[in-house]
Amino acid sequence: MLIFSVFKTLTDQQVTVELKNDLSITGVLKSVDQFLNIRLDNIKVLDEARHPHMMAVKNCFIRGSVVRYVQLPAEHVDTQLLEDATRREAQNQVKR
Amino acid sequence: MDDSPPAPPAEQTPPPPPVAHSGSPTDFLKGVVGKRVIVRLNSGVDYRGVLSCLDGYMNIALEQTEEHVNGNVTNRYGDAFIRGNNVLYISADEAL
Amino acid sequence: MDPSSSGIQEPFDLIRLSLSERVFVKLRGDREMTGILHAYDGHMNLILSDVEETIMIVDENTAGGQGAVSVAKRKMDMLFVRGDGVILVSPPSRT
């Protein structure tokens, strides 16, 4: 839930999603859901020479389970807020 | 009205559990907390250390951990958290 | 209550105590990284900053019999790591 919230705050920001098949896609984060499925707009594949079939694709839906990393815009991430929220969520896990 | 609850198999009692080896997997896991253990992962890598604690997913916290890859020590960690899905087995490395 | 002197009752405590510290993460696919831990959840999804990733690449077709291992490194400012790829997380050694 916490990570889902983080991604929601980053909508309309530029992110780079690296998939488990080594494909890296940069684009504008349009939406995200609880499974961390991701919709990207204005996409650009990093190594187009290696993935020529992606050149015509302008936007995409990425299933959360195939994601390895997402590079985030550091200037839009409040790390102190994240740590506090993480501690709070960890506390709630214990109480449940 | 009829009186037949599922009849217990009355003719014999089940054999007693082998208490000599102190019972269930859960009992084993309770017994090894605080002891030296070998954790083998699905990848074949071994972690030897003192088992701090573990949870229901078999996430594991180890202290004084050595990473062994086919017989050689490849890393040492003061503390290590191992994600449970990677765990093949936990083996006691000292008498319980 | 306390099984050991470290005051850790469940494995995730180890991770919680590492928030805002540099951690070492071992991942599937012969990848490792260090970074400053800012967030995690029960899946071991992580958010790290100031990340340096190391990828071990085994060269199959080297002449010398055993595969030579080459290492690729890269840095990333702020990174989300999906939990299903995580094998091990180790906090900085606090002695």
Side-chain angles (χ1 to χ4, degrees):
Chain A
M1 222 61 220
L2 180 138
I3 304 273
F4 172 42
S5 310
V6 174
F7 275 107
K8 276 197 290 187
T9 67
L10 293 172
T11 48
D12 295 322
Q13 302 296 334
Q14 184 103 349
V15 299
T16 301
V17 180
E18 181 174 327
L19 309 187
K20 287 175 178 152
N21 66 2
D22 292 335
L23 180 62
S24 285
I25 308 171
T26 299
V28 177
L29 180 64
K30 287 320 286 184
S31 63
V32 62
D33 68 14
Q34 53 163 334
F35 305 110
L36 307 185
N37 298 322
I38 288 173
R39 263 184 356 112
L40 290 184
D41 257 6
N42 278 322
I43 67 165
K44 178 101 178 131
V45 169
L46 258 61
D47 190 356
E48 280 198 322
R50 213 153 65 87
H51 311 277
H53 58 291
M54 293 293 293
M55 279 174 65
V57 185
K58 290 286 174 285
N59 60 77
C60 64
F61 173 95
I62 301 169
R63 188 176 150 97
S65 61
V66 305
V67 171
R68 179 186 291 136
Y69 305 137
V70 184
Q71 287 174 246
L72 310 173
E75 63 277 17
H76 290 105
V77 178
D78 183 336
T79 55
Q80 189 59 54
L81 202 75
L82 271 187
E83 290 164 21
D84 293 345
T86 302
R87 287 195 188 90
R88 222 173 306 126
E89 186 166 275
Q91 198 61 46
N92 291 335
Q93 299 290 323
V94 172
K95 269 189 261 175
R96 267 195 306 119
Chain B
M1 219 28 154
D2 205 340
D3 58 317
S4 51
E11 72 279 302
Q12 68 193 31
T13 55
V19 286
H21 278 66
S22 69
S24 67
T26 311
D27 292 339
F28 170 80
L29 291 176
K30 281 181 186 158
V32 289
V33 171
K35 299 286 204 306
R36 294 201 64 81
V37 295
I38 305 170
V39 177
R40 170 154 302 183
L41 306 191
N42 289 316
S43 59
V45 178
D46 280 353
Y47 291 92
R48 292 164 174 255
V50 177
L51 180 64
S52 304
C53 56
L54 72 173
D55 67 14
Y57 298 106
M58 270 203 207
N59 294 323
I60 290 172
L62 282 180
E63 292 171 4
Q64 303 161 37
T65 308
E66 285 181 350
E67 178 182 83
H68 292 249
V69 179
N70 44 48
N72 308 314
V73 176
T74 46
N75 247 323
R76 291 175 207 277
Y77 311 106
D79 285 303
F81 172 102
I82 300 172
R83 196 174 187 264
N85 68 308
N86 300 293
V87 175
L88 181 63
Y89 65 66
I90 303 168
S91 163
D93 201 18
E94 62 177 296
L96 297 186
Chain C
M1 206 66 184
D2 253 13
S4 67
S5 56
S6 49
I8 292 173
Q9 281 136 34
E10 58 160 40
F12 277 111
D13 290 351
L14 205 61
I15 309 301
R16 183 169 46 82
L17 294 171
S18 310
L19 280 169
S20 81
E21 306 233 40
R22 185 165 286 275
V23 295
F24 169 89
V25 184
K26 193 176 162 70
L27 296 152
R28 290 172 172 258
D30 299 317
R31 291 160 190 267
E32 297 175 353
M33 61 175 60
T34 69
I36 297 169
L37 180 67
H38 299 295
Y40 68 88
D41 66 12
H43 299 111
M44 279 315 271
N45 293 322
L46 308 172
I47 294 178
L48 306 167
S49 72
D50 194 14
V51 175
E52 183 173 73
E53 184 197 27
T54 308
I55 310 171
M56 264 74 79
I57 303 155
V58 181
D59 252 344
E60 304 282 332
N61 49 5
T62 42
Q66 96 248 42
V69 181
S70 62
V71 170
K73 284 182 190 271
R74 61 172 172 166
K75 298 191 175 190
M76 290 166 282
D77 275 353
M78 187 66 70
L79 188 70
F80 161 79
V81 179
R82 194 171 163 91
D84 57 5
V86 173
I87 296 173
L88 175 145
V89 180
S90 180
S93 53
R94 65 177 84 73
T95 47

